[in-house]
Amino acid sequence: PTTALVMHREGDEPPTLRMPELSDMLETAVPGQYLIGEVAGKPLVKNAANMGRLVIEHMCAAGLRPGRGTGTSAADPIDVAIVGSGPGGLSAALTCRHHGLGAVVLEKEAVIASTVSRYPRGKAFMAEPVDCRNLSFLPVWDTCKEELVAAWGRMVAEAGLIIRIGTGVDEVNRRADGLFELKTASRVLFARRAVLAIGTRGKPRTL
């Protein structure tokens, strides 16, 4: 962990770990925008998967109902835009599917769940934390990374999730009308809610 050693002058207070300000339901200070997974300070796959379901359930409880938008314009917004296709993002997308919400997952890498997909071949995957139940619709169990990623791929295909591979998001803005504008290199997507499940690989904290 790159924050294991923190340098400061003797006698001074050590700098505090900077964490994003989130509500109990993982909503940021921007209404309708949620932060989940490792980037929200909750590492481990099972935690991320549970958080993915939690935020969508919160949206529904707060009154979000299925629309018919495609996200191509402000007049036709998609219900939920999800940035990142790791366990948190996939879980959120599956929960959207369960509730009939339209969702699109934007993934900058060439594969889904790139962090887990790029684990060493044959790496044993432990479904930690062991004292936490998996409450998401995404399967998480003790296995090897190949079996886990293959199961996720099958579930994505069977559920018909919309995942745009190789699509990095450069900017996310909330408009005056409450819609979110997500800018990529090739297009602008409009959504009623936004979930950021970007992990921490995008901007590594170097030693």
PDB file of all heavy atoms in Angstrom, residues 168-198:
ATOM      1  N   GLY A 168     -13.168   5.593 -22.423  1.00  0.00           N
ATOM      2  CA  GLY A 168     -12.780   6.321 -21.224  1.00  0.00           C
ATOM      3  C   GLY A 168     -13.638   7.560 -21.040  1.00  0.00           C
ATOM      4  O   GLY A 168     -13.999   8.219 -22.010  1.00  0.00           O
ATOM      5  N   VAL A 169     -13.967   7.867 -19.814  1.00  0.00           N
ATOM      6  CA  VAL A 169     -14.771   9.059 -19.501  1.00  0.00           C
ATOM      7  C   VAL A 169     -13.826  10.164 -19.050  1.00  0.00           C
ATOM      8  O   VAL A 169     -13.087  10.014 -18.076  1.00  0.00           O
ATOM      9  CB  VAL A 169     -15.815   8.754 -18.412  1.00  0.00           C
ATOM     10  CG1 VAL A 169     -16.569  10.020 -18.018  1.00  0.00           C
ATOM     11  CG2 VAL A 169     -16.790   7.689 -18.901  1.00  0.00           C
ATOM     12  N   ASP A 170     -13.853  11.277 -19.763  1.00  0.00           N
ATOM     13  CA  ASP A 170     -12.962  12.394 -19.463  1.00  0.00           C
ATOM     14  C   ASP A 170     -13.557  13.369 -18.462  1.00  0.00           C
ATOM     15  O   ASP A 170     -12.830  14.045 -17.730  1.00  0.00           O
ATOM     16  CB  ASP A 170     -12.617  13.156 -20.751  1.00  0.00           C
ATOM     17  CG  ASP A 170     -11.922  12.266 -21.777  1.00  0.00           C
ATOM     18  OD1 ASP A 170     -11.073  11.458 -21.364  1.00  0.00           O
ATOM     19  OD2 ASP A 170     -12.249  12.369 -22.973  1.00  0.00           O
ATOM     20  N   GLU A 171     -14.883  13.453 -18.422  1.00  0.00           N
ATOM     21  CA  GLU A 171     -15.520  14.472 -17.593  1.00  0.00           C
ATOM     22  C   GLU A 171     -16.948  14.053 -17.251  1.00  0.00           C
ATOM     23  O   GLU A 171     -17.649  13.482 -18.082  1.00  0.00           O
ATOM     24  CB  GLU A 171     -15.546  15.787 -18.385  1.00  0.00           C
ATOM     25  CG  GLU A 171     -15.625  17.039 -17.543  1.00  0.00           C
ATOM     26  CD  GLU A 171     -15.473  18.291 -18.408  1.00  0.00           C
ATOM     27  OE1 GLU A 171     -14.613  18.304 -19.309  1.00  0.00           O
ATOM     28  OE2 GLU A 171     -16.255  19.232 -18.181  1.00  0.00           O
ATOM     29  N   VAL A 172     -17.355  14.347 -16.019  1.00  0.00           N
ATOM     30  CA  VAL A 172     -18.731  14.102 -15.589  1.00  0.00           C
ATOM     31  C   VAL A 172     -19.249  15.394 -14.969  1.00  0.00           C
ATOM     32  O   VAL A 172     -18.674  15.894 -14.002  1.00  0.00           O
ATOM     33  CB  VAL A 172     -18.828  12.960 -14.555  1.00  0.00           C
ATOM     34  CG1 VAL A 172     -20.281  12.755 -14.120  1.00  0.00           C
ATOM     35  CG2 VAL A 172     -18.254  11.671 -15.107  1.00  0.00           C
ATOM     36  N   ASN A 173     -20.322  15.933 -15.518  1.00  0.00           N
ATOM     37  CA  ASN A 173     -20.894  17.180 -15.015  1.00  0.00           C
ATOM     38  C   ASN A 173     -22.386  17.028 -14.782  1.00  0.00           C
ATOM     39  O   ASN A 173     -23.077  16.378 -15.558  1.00  0.00           O
ATOM     40  CB  ASN A 173     -20.667  18.325 -16.017  1.00  0.00           C
ATOM     41  CG  ASN A 173     -19.201  18.676 -16.152  1.00  0.00           C
ATOM     42  OD1 ASN A 173     -18.532  18.962 -15.168  1.00  0.00           O
ATOM     43  ND2 ASN A 173     -18.693  18.639 -17.376  1.00  0.00           N
ATOM     44  N   ARG A 174     -22.854  17.665 -13.713  1.00  0.00           N
ATOM     45  CA  ARG A 174     -24.302  17.709 -13.465  1.00  0.00           C
ATOM     46  C   ARG A 174     -24.844  19.027 -13.991  1.00  0.00           C
ATOM     47  O   ARG A 174     -24.376  20.097 -13.609  1.00  0.00           O
ATOM     48  CB  ARG A 174     -24.603  17.574 -11.976  1.00  0.00           C
ATOM     49  CG  ARG A 174     -26.092  17.426 -11.661  1.00  0.00           C
ATOM     50  CD  ARG A 174     -26.291  17.147 -10.172  1.00  0.00           C
ATOM     51  NE  ARG A 174     -27.676  16.816  -9.852  1.00  0.00           N
ATOM     52  CZ  ARG A 174     -28.596  17.710  -9.485  1.00  0.00           C
ATOM     53  NH1 ARG A 174     -28.276  18.998  -9.405  1.00  0.00           N
ATOM     54  NH2 ARG A 174     -29.828  17.321  -9.204  1.00  0.00           N
ATOM     55  N   ARG A 175     -25.807  18.939 -14.876  1.00  0.00           N
ATOM     56  CA  ARG A 175     -26.401  20.110 -15.486  1.00  0.00           C
ATOM     57  C   ARG A 175     -27.401  20.784 -14.543  1.00  0.00           C
ATOM     58  O   ARG A 175     -27.786  20.214 -13.527  1.00  0.00           O
ATOM     59  CB  ARG A 175     -27.108  19.719 -16.784  1.00  0.00           C
ATOM     60  CG  ARG A 175     -26.213  19.190 -17.868  1.00  0.00           C
ATOM     61  CD  ARG A 175     -26.959  18.322 -18.882  1.00  0.00           C
ATOM     62  NE  ARG A 175     -28.277  18.807 -19.216  1.00  0.00           N
ATOM     63  CZ  ARG A 175     -28.614  19.381 -20.381  1.00  0.00           C
ATOM     64  NH1 ARG A 175     -27.697  19.527 -21.328  1.00  0.00           N
ATOM     65  NH2 ARG A 175     -29.851  19.776 -20.614  1.00  0.00           N
ATOM     66  N   ALA A 176     -27.820  21.981 -14.905  1.00  0.00           N
ATOM     67  CA  ALA A 176     -28.802  22.719 -14.102  1.00  0.00           C
ATOM     68  C   ALA A 176     -30.129  21.982 -14.003  1.00  0.00           C
ATOM     69  O   ALA A 176     -30.852  22.111 -13.012  1.00  0.00           O
ATOM     70  CB  ALA A 176     -29.000  24.107 -14.687  1.00  0.00           C
ATOM     71  N   ASP A 177     -30.450  21.174 -15.030  1.00  0.00           N
ATOM     72  CA  ASP A 177     -31.719  20.436 -15.012  1.00  0.00           C
ATOM     73  C   ASP A 177     -31.612  19.105 -14.262  1.00  0.00           C
ATOM     74  O   ASP A 177     -32.557  18.322 -14.222  1.00  0.00           O
ATOM     75  CB  ASP A 177     -32.226  20.199 -16.434  1.00  0.00           C
ATOM     76  CG  ASP A 177     -31.253  19.399 -17.294  1.00  0.00           C
ATOM     77  OD1 ASP A 177     -30.218  18.939 -16.758  1.00  0.00           O
ATOM     78  OD2 ASP A 177     -31.515  19.243 -18.502  1.00  0.00           O
ATOM     79  N   GLY A 178     -30.442  18.828 -13.662  1.00  0.00           N
ATOM     80  CA  GLY A 178     -30.263  17.615 -12.870  1.00  0.00           C
ATOM     81  C   GLY A 178     -29.717  16.431 -13.627  1.00  0.00           C
ATOM     82  O   GLY A 178     -29.348  15.418 -13.026  1.00  0.00           O
ATOM     83  N   LEU A 179     -29.645  16.521 -14.952  1.00  0.00           N
ATOM     84  CA  LEU A 179     -29.076  15.434 -15.746  1.00  0.00           C
ATOM     85  C   LEU A 179     -27.551  15.464 -15.671  1.00  0.00           C
ATOM     86  O   LEU A 179     -26.945  16.504 -15.407  1.00  0.00           O
ATOM     87  CB  LEU A 179     -29.504  15.553 -17.210  1.00  0.00           C
ATOM     88  CG  LEU A 179     -30.980  15.345 -17.527  1.00  0.00           C
ATOM     89  CD1 LEU A 179     -31.211  15.515 -19.029  1.00  0.00           C
ATOM     90  CD2 LEU A 179     -31.459  13.976 -17.058  1.00  0.00           C
ATOM     91  N   PHE A 180     -26.958  14.292 -15.934  1.00  0.00           N
ATOM     92  CA  PHE A 180     -25.502  14.202 -15.966  1.00  0.00           C
ATOM     93  C   PHE A 180     -25.013  14.121 -17.405  1.00  0.00           C
ATOM     94  O   PHE A 180     -25.605  13.417 -18.236  1.00  0.00           O
ATOM     95  CB  PHE A 180     -25.018  12.975 -15.182  1.00  0.00           C
ATOM     96  CG  PHE A 180     -25.148  13.140 -13.703  1.00  0.00           C
ATOM     97  CD1 PHE A 180     -26.310  12.760 -13.042  1.00  0.00           C
ATOM     98  CD2 PHE A 180     -24.123  13.700 -12.959  1.00  0.00           C
ATOM     99  CE1 PHE A 180     -26.452  12.930 -11.682  1.00  0.00           C
ATOM    100  CE2 PHE A 180     -24.243  13.872 -11.589  1.00  0.00           C
ATOM    101  CZ  PHE A 180     -25.416  13.491 -10.951  1.00  0.00           C
ATOM    102  N   GLU A 181     -23.954  14.843 -17.676  1.00  0.00           N
ATOM    103  CA  GLU A 181     -23.274  14.807 -18.964  1.00  0.00           C
ATOM    104  C   GLU A 181     -21.950  14.094 -18.775  1.00  0.00           C
ATOM    105  O   GLU A 181     -21.115  14.537 -17.998  1.00  0.00           O
ATOM    106  CB  GLU A 181     -22.976  16.239 -19.447  1.00  0.00           C
ATOM    107  CG  GLU A 181     -23.879  16.738 -20.521  1.00  0.00           C
ATOM    108  CD  GLU A 181     -23.446  18.121 -21.013  1.00  0.00           C
ATOM    109  OE1 GLU A 181     -22.277  18.485 -20.811  1.00  0.00           O
ATOM    110  OE2 GLU A 181     -24.293  18.804 -21.589  1.00  0.00           O
ATOM    111  N   LEU A 182     -21.771  12.969 -19.461  1.00  0.00           N
ATOM    112  CA  LEU A 182     -20.516  12.226 -19.376  1.00  0.00           C
ATOM    113  C   LEU A 182     -19.814  12.338 -20.721  1.00  0.00           C
ATOM    114  O   LEU A 182     -20.331  11.875 -21.741  1.00  0.00           O
ATOM    115  CB  LEU A 182     -20.772  10.755 -19.029  1.00  0.00           C
ATOM    116  CG  LEU A 182     -21.352  10.507 -17.632  1.00  0.00           C
ATOM    117  CD1 LEU A 182     -22.874  10.510 -17.654  1.00  0.00           C
ATOM    118  CD2 LEU A 182     -20.841   9.188 -17.064  1.00  0.00           C
ATOM    119  N   LYS A 183     -18.657  12.982 -20.703  1.00  0.00           N
ATOM    120  CA  LYS A 183     -17.944  13.244 -21.943  1.00  0.00           C
ATOM    121  C   LYS A 183     -16.850  12.204 -22.161  1.00  0.00           C
ATOM    122  O   LYS A 183     -16.003  11.987 -21.298  1.00  0.00           O
ATOM    123  CB  LYS A 183     -17.339  14.650 -21.923  1.00  0.00           C
ATOM    124  CG  LYS A 183     -18.387  15.750 -21.838  1.00  0.00           C
ATOM    125  CD  LYS A 183     -17.759  17.134 -21.832  1.00  0.00           C
ATOM    126  CE  LYS A 183     -18.833  18.215 -21.743  1.00  0.00           C
ATOM    127  NZ  LYS A 183     -18.240  19.576 -21.692  1.00  0.00           N
ATOM    128  N   THR A 184     -16.881  11.557 -23.315  1.00  0.00           N
ATOM    129  CA  THR A 184     -15.834  10.627 -23.721  1.00  0.00           C
ATOM    130  C   THR A 184     -15.110  11.243 -24.913  1.00  0.00           C
ATOM    131  O   THR A 184     -15.450  12.342 -25.356  1.00  0.00           O
ATOM    132  CB  THR A 184     -16.429   9.262 -24.104  1.00  0.00           C
ATOM    133  OG1 THR A 184     -17.100   9.369 -25.365  1.00  0.00           O
ATOM    134  CG2 THR A 184     -17.425   8.767 -23.052  1.00  0.00           C
ATOM    135  N   ALA A 185     -14.140  10.534 -25.449  1.00  0.00           N
ATOM    136  CA  ALA A 185     -13.393  11.061 -26.581  1.00  0.00           C
ATOM    137  C   ALA A 185     -14.250  11.181 -27.829  1.00  0.00           C
ATOM    138  O   ALA A 185     -13.975  12.008 -28.704  1.00  0.00           O
ATOM    139  CB  ALA A 185     -12.181  10.176 -26.861  1.00  0.00           C
ATOM    140  N   SER A 186     -15.296  10.373 -27.917  1.00  0.00           N
ATOM    141  CA  SER A 186     -16.074  10.332 -29.162  1.00  0.00           C
ATOM    142  C   SER A 186     -17.520  10.792 -29.042  1.00  0.00           C
ATOM    143  O   SER A 186     -18.179  11.028 -30.050  1.00  0.00           O
ATOM    144  CB  SER A 186     -16.077   8.903 -29.722  1.00  0.00           C
ATOM    145  OG  SER A 186     -16.660   8.007 -28.785  1.00  0.00           O
ATOM    146  N   ARG A 187     -18.031  10.931 -27.807  1.00  0.00           N
ATOM    147  CA  ARG A 187     -19.443  11.283 -27.675  1.00  0.00           C
ATOM    148  C   ARG A 187     -19.724  11.881 -26.311  1.00  0.00           C
ATOM    149  O   ARG A 187     -18.879  11.872 -25.410  1.00  0.00           O
ATOM    150  CB  ARG A 187     -20.314  10.061 -27.900  1.00  0.00           C
ATOM    151  CG  ARG A 187     -20.226   9.046 -26.772  1.00  0.00           C
ATOM    152  CD  ARG A 187     -21.094   7.827 -27.041  1.00  0.00           C
ATOM    153  NE  ARG A 187     -20.477   6.951 -28.025  1.00  0.00           N
ATOM    154  CZ  ARG A 187     -21.101   5.934 -28.602  1.00  0.00           C
ATOM    155  NH1 ARG A 187     -22.359   5.697 -28.317  1.00  0.00           N
ATOM    156  NH2 ARG A 187     -20.483   5.152 -29.459  1.00  0.00           N
ATOM    157  N   VAL A 188     -20.948  12.373 -26.151  1.00  0.00           N
ATOM    158  CA  VAL A 188     -21.455  12.836 -24.854  1.00  0.00           C
ATOM    159  C   VAL A 188     -22.678  11.997 -24.528  1.00  0.00           C
ATOM    160  O   VAL A 188     -23.570  11.830 -25.359  1.00  0.00           O
ATOM    161  CB  VAL A 188     -21.827  14.332 -24.889  1.00  0.00           C
ATOM    162  CG1 VAL A 188     -22.439  14.747 -23.552  1.00  0.00           C
ATOM    163  CG2 VAL A 188     -20.608  15.182 -25.195  1.00  0.00           C
ATOM    164  N   LEU A 189     -22.695  11.445 -23.326  1.00  0.00           N
ATOM    165  CA  LEU A 189     -23.810  10.620 -22.881  1.00  0.00           C
ATOM    166  C   LEU A 189     -24.590  11.379 -21.815  1.00  0.00           C
ATOM    167  O   LEU A 189     -23.995  12.020 -20.943  1.00  0.00           O
ATOM    168  CB  LEU A 189     -23.288   9.304 -22.302  1.00  0.00           C
ATOM    169  CG  LEU A 189     -24.334   8.318 -21.801  1.00  0.00           C
ATOM    170  CD1 LEU A 189     -24.993   7.612 -22.975  1.00  0.00           C
ATOM    171  CD2 LEU A 189     -23.713   7.297 -20.858  1.00  0.00           C
ATOM    172  N   PHE A 190     -25.914  11.293 -21.878  1.00  0.00           N
ATOM    173  CA  PHE A 190     -26.773  11.966 -20.907  1.00  0.00           C
ATOM    174  C   PHE A 190     -27.467  10.923 -20.039  1.00  0.00           C
ATOM    175  O   PHE A 190     -27.999   9.936 -20.550  1.00  0.00           O
ATOM    176  CB  PHE A 190     -27.808  12.827 -21.631  1.00  0.00           C
ATOM    177  CG  PHE A 190     -27.201  13.941 -22.442  1.00  0.00           C
ATOM    178  CD1 PHE A 190     -26.784  13.720 -23.749  1.00  0.00           C
ATOM    179  CD2 PHE A 190     -27.013  15.201 -21.886  1.00  0.00           C
ATOM    180  CE1 PHE A 190     -26.205  14.731 -24.497  1.00  0.00           C
ATOM    181  CE2 PHE A 190     -26.438  16.225 -22.630  1.00  0.00           C
ATOM    182  CZ  PHE A 190     -26.031  15.988 -23.938  1.00  0.00           C
ATOM    183  N   ALA A 191     -27.439  11.150 -18.718  1.00  0.00           N
ATOM    184  CA  ALA A 191     -28.013  10.167 -17.787  1.00  0.00           C
ATOM    185  C   ALA A 191     -28.702  10.868 -16.630  1.00  0.00           C
ATOM    186  O   ALA A 191     -28.342  11.984 -16.247  1.00  0.00           O
ATOM    187  CB  ALA A 191     -26.930   9.240 -17.264  1.00  0.00           C
ATOM    188  N   ARG A 192     -29.683  10.181 -16.054  1.00  0.00           N
ATOM    189  CA  ARG A 192     -30.402  10.719 -14.904  1.00  0.00           C
ATOM    190  C   ARG A 192     -29.623  10.519 -13.602  1.00  0.00           C
ATOM    191  O   ARG A 192     -29.761  11.295 -12.665  1.00  0.00           O
ATOM    192  CB  ARG A 192     -31.775  10.055 -14.813  1.00  0.00           C
ATOM    193  CG  ARG A 192     -32.660  10.359 -16.026  1.00  0.00           C
ATOM    194  CD  ARG A 192     -33.822   9.387 -16.160  1.00  0.00           C
ATOM    195  NE  ARG A 192     -34.782   9.530 -15.069  1.00  0.00           N
ATOM    196  CZ  ARG A 192     -35.718   8.619 -14.797  1.00  0.00           C
ATOM    197  NH1 ARG A 192     -35.795   7.505 -15.521  1.00  0.00           N
ATOM    198  NH2 ARG A 192     -36.563   8.811 -13.809  1.00  0.00           N
ATOM    199  N   ARG A 193     -28.816   9.469 -13.545  1.00  0.00           N
ATOM    200  CA  ARG A 193     -27.969   9.214 -12.378  1.00  0.00           C
ATOM    201  C   ARG A 193     -26.599   8.737 -12.875  1.00  0.00           C
ATOM    202  O   ARG A 193     -26.487   8.189 -13.979  1.00  0.00           O
ATOM    203  CB  ARG A 193     -28.569   8.133 -11.468  1.00  0.00           C
ATOM    204  CG  ARG A 193     -29.945   8.451 -10.923  1.00  0.00           C
ATOM    205  CD  ARG A 193     -29.931   9.537  -9.871  1.00  0.00           C
ATOM    206  NE  ARG A 193     -31.261   9.711  -9.284  1.00  0.00           N
ATOM    207  CZ  ARG A 193     -32.214  10.473  -9.792  1.00  0.00           C
ATOM    208  NH1 ARG A 193     -31.991  11.125 -10.941  1.00  0.00           N
ATOM    209  NH2 ARG A 193     -33.383  10.593  -9.180  1.00  0.00           N
ATOM    210  N   ALA A 194     -25.578   8.913 -12.037  1.00  0.00           N
ATOM    211  CA  ALA A 194     -24.218   8.496 -12.401  1.00  0.00           C
ATOM    212  C   ALA A 194     -23.582   7.730 -11.252  1.00  0.00           C
ATOM    213  O   ALA A 194     -23.676   8.139 -10.090  1.00  0.00           O
ATOM    214  CB  ALA A 194     -23.365   9.711 -12.756  1.00  0.00           C
ATOM    215  N   VAL A 195     -22.950   6.614 -11.597  1.00  0.00           N
ATOM    216  CA  VAL A 195     -22.226   5.799 -10.616  1.00  0.00           C
ATOM    217  C   VAL A 195     -20.778   5.713 -11.062  1.00  0.00           C
ATOM    218  O   VAL A 195     -20.483   5.279 -12.183  1.00  0.00           O
ATOM    219  CB  VAL A 195     -22.823   4.378 -10.511  1.00  0.00           C
ATOM    220  CG1 VAL A 195     -21.999   3.525  -9.541  1.00  0.00           C
ATOM    221  CG2 VAL A 195     -24.277   4.428 -10.072  1.00  0.00           C
ATOM    222  N   LEU A 196     -19.863   6.125 -10.187  1.00  0.00           N
ATOM    223  CA  LEU A 196     -18.440   6.064 -10.498  1.00  0.00           C
ATOM    224  C   LEU A 196     -17.823   4.881  -9.752  1.00  0.00           C
ATOM    225  O   LEU A 196     -17.743   4.884  -8.529  1.00  0.00           O
ATOM    226  CB  LEU A 196     -17.744   7.378 -10.096  1.00  0.00           C
ATOM    227  CG  LEU A 196     -18.374   8.661 -10.653  1.00  0.00           C
ATOM    228  CD1 LEU A 196     -17.568   9.882 -10.221  1.00  0.00           C
ATOM    229  CD2 LEU A 196     -18.480   8.599 -12.169  1.00  0.00           C
ATOM    230  N   ALA A 197     -17.436   3.882 -10.521  1.00  0.00           N
ATOM    231  CA  ALA A 197     -16.849   2.663  -9.960  1.00  0.00           C
ATOM    232  C   ALA A 197     -15.489   2.449 -10.615  1.00  0.00           C
ATOM    233  O   ALA A 197     -15.228   1.424 -11.237  1.00  0.00           O
ATOM    234  CB  ALA A 197     -17.764   1.470 -10.212  1.00  0.00           C
ATOM    235  N   ILE A 198     -14.632   3.452 -10.483  1.00  0.00           N
ATOM    236  CA  ILE A 198     -13.400   3.511 -11.283  1.00  0.00           C
ATOM    237  C   ILE A 198     -12.183   2.877 -10.620  1.00  0.00           C
ATOM    238  O   ILE A 198     -11.091   2.890 -11.192  1.00  0.00           O
ATOM    239  CB  ILE A 198     -13.064   4.968 -11.655  1.00  0.00           C
ATOM    240  CG1 ILE A 198     -12.939   5.824 -10.392  1.00  0.00           C
ATOM    241  CG2 ILE A 198     -14.145   5.540 -12.569  1.00  0.00           C
ATOM    242  CD1 ILE A 198     -12.535   7.261 -10.651  1.00  0.00           C
TER     243      ILE A 198
END
